[in-house]
Amino acid sequence: KQWYQRRVRGLPREVAKSLCPQFNSFSWFEVSDRSWHQVSEILEDDIRWSISGWFHAEDAPVVKPKSESFTLFFTPPVESDLDILKSWISLRYLNIEISSEIQEKFQEDSEVSLSEFLNPEKYLALCADMSSMAWLNVGPSNKKKYQVCNKPSQLVAEFNDLIKTDAFAVLLSHLTGLPLSANYDDPDCNDFSDKPFGMMSSQISRWEHGSYSLLCDQEVMNLPDRLHIFYHSEVYDGYDVDAGGYISFISHSDEEPLLVIPPQKNTLSLVFTRTDEFGFTKFINSKMQKPFYCISAQYVARTSNEEQDVGNNSDSSGGN
């Protein structure tokens, strides 16, 4: 068992104390509305038998989840020339016939992964910069634990800016059939979604042993249809899903995952989800041999041309 320190607002900070299991021992601790604990990863193959249970207090206070509202802010597309894509992206994904085949698969499966997405020279340069940048830990631990970069290198910033351009939105529209850009005109796009989409902010992240994300308020209530974009880099050869780090999508109505997206080097993954479908990143265990990186973004269906208030949400995630 591990116990966390609390932040000022009562959220978990870092592990403050650990209790290792010992043979023929009995331990107990109080659980309250202000305490946070976890069971740490088991690193050995030895079998451990234990008996656990709970004593419930009759006068225990009822803790009601805090209600909060949040607003989706859309990022205006950056005007750019379509030629900018040729300097970054493999030419096969700029081919109309190939993009039509990809769109057909995407509309059938609601997802597609595009390997060798960037030109080799851009990919290698991107990897070199990613491994040398400064990274910051993000939390709180009851929702997520991984690292982000707020000051990327010039090359990484250029790629992060590229996915915010209207040229990239037009490319994604051709690959998915979704109306992501006002400059994409396809009479069949409304067959898949009849609402225009707006882009939310992107994120540059680093994932290593101990990283994870959980479903939180913004992921479990009232979000409209979304297109998730994940670009993974520096994933080592021989990666196995047993190490974790894959993105799992679930819904309210299914017991098993709807979809699992493993990280793959130089691969762009596109996933379309409806209102009751959500994604999280599986805990990365000690089998992970080295860190990998991800640049992610979302396009969200608009209900109006203004910012979108998605209402009140219960703080039900405390236990990406």
Side-chain angles (χ1 to χ4, degrees):
K1 286 285 192 300
Q2 294 179 322
W3 289 268
Y4 284 90
Q5 289 183 338
R6 293 196 311 274
R7 297 175 185 263
V8 175
R9 295 195 305 165
L11 297 173
R13 193 172 179 182
E14 63 266 346
V15 174
K17 184 178 181 179
S18 299
L19 178 65
C20 295
Q22 298 181 4
F23 177 72
N24 197 25
S25 63
F26 179 77
S27 60
W28 66 95
F29 60 94
E30 181 182 10
V31 177
S32 72
D33 60 329
R34 299 184 300 164
S35 67
W36 298 94
H37 69 275
Q38 70 174 11
V39 178
S40 61
E41 180 185 0
I42 298 175
L43 302 176
E44 298 180 357
D45 294 331
D46 295 341
I47 297 177
R48 184 186 73 198
W49 297 94
S50 64
I51 299 175
S52 61
W54 302 85
F55 293 97
H56 295 277
E58 294 182 358
D59 59 347
V62 177
V63 180
K64 294 183 179 181
K66 296 180 180 179
S67 178
E68 61 181 40
S69 62
F70 58 93
T71 303
L72 300 180
F73 292 98
F74 297 102
T75 302
V78 179
E79 294 299 326
S80 62
D81 194 290
L82 290 174
D83 288 339
I84 192 176
L85 302 178
K86 296 179 182 178
S87 64
W88 280 91
I89 297 169
S90 172
L91 292 180
R92 63 175 170 169
Y93 296 122
L94 305 181
N95 181 285
I96 295 298
E97 292 183 2
I98 293 178
S99 63
S100 296
E101 294 175 359
I102 293 172
Q103 182 183 130
E104 183 177 349
K105 181 185 184 306
F106 179 86
Q107 295 203 357
E108 180 177 347
D109 300 336
S110 294
E111 62 89 16
V112 68
S113 290
L114 310 177
S115 61
E116 299 180 0
F117 184 71
L118 295 186
N119 295 325
E121 60 275 12
K122 288 289 190 182
Y123 172 68
L124 293 176
L126 201 69
C127 289
D129 280 18
M130 287 277 205
S131 60
S132 62
M133 295 191 312
W135 299 89
L136 302 172
N137 294 321
V138 295
S141 300
N142 63 313
K143 293 185 178 181
K144 56 190 174 184
K145 181 185 178 184
Y146 54 89
Q147 296 176 313
V148 298
C149 181
N150 296 326
K151 295 182 179 180
S153 69
Q154 180 178 346
L155 186 70
V156 175
E158 287 177 3
F159 179 58
N160 191 46
D161 290 341
L162 175 70
I163 67 176
K164 301 175 185 178
T165 63
D166 187 65
F168 197 79
V170 171
L171 172 63
L172 293 180
S173 293
H174 282 288
L175 295 173
T176 64
L178 292 170
L180 307 179
S181 168
N183 293 318
Y184 176 69
D185 185 15
D186 187 336
D188 295 329
C189 70
N190 289 338
D191 293 343
F192 198 48
S193 177
D194 59 358
K195 299 175 182 177
F197 279 62
M199 185 184 184
M200 297 174 63
S201 60
S202 61
Q203 185 178 72
I204 306 169
S205 55
R206 180 180 184 270
W207 301 79
E208 62 182 357
H209 177 208
S211 298
Y212 59 86
S213 69
L214 302 172
L215 295 181
C216 60
D217 294 345
Q218 289 85 344
E219 288 293 337
V220 298
M221 292 190 69
N222 299 332
L223 276 181
D225 296 350
R226 287 147 289 157
L227 175 68
H228 304 261
I229 304 168
F230 305 102
Y231 175 78
H232 287 104
S233 66
E234 280 282 340
V235 183
Y236 60 88
D237 294 333
Y239 161 81
D240 191 279
V241 292
D242 287 343
Y246 57 83
I247 303 167
S248 182
F249 287 89
I250 63 174
S251 73
H252 287 308
S253 57
D254 292 274
E255 296 182 359
E256 298 296 324
L258 301 173
L259 176 68
V260 168
I261 301 293
Q264 302 176 71
K265 64 180 181 181
N266 197 15
T267 296
L268 183 78
S269 298
L270 306 174
V271 180
F272 180 79
T273 57
R274 299 290 188 182
T275 302
D276 64 340
E277 299 168 348
F278 329 104
F280 64 93
T281 301
K282 183 70 173 179
F283 174 82
I284 298 178
N285 59 49
S286 59
K287 295 180 181 179
M288 183 66 71
Q289 298 178 13
K290 58 178 293 189
F292 64 86
Y293 305 90
C294 181
I295 297 179
S296 59
Q298 288 187 35
Y299 280 86
V300 179
R302 293 176 180 267
T303 57
S304 70
N305 293 326
E306 304 298 328
E307 285 78 15
Q308 186 171 334
D309 188 350
V310 282
N312 294 326
N313 294 272
S314 299
D315 189 10
S316 59
S317 58
N320 114 67

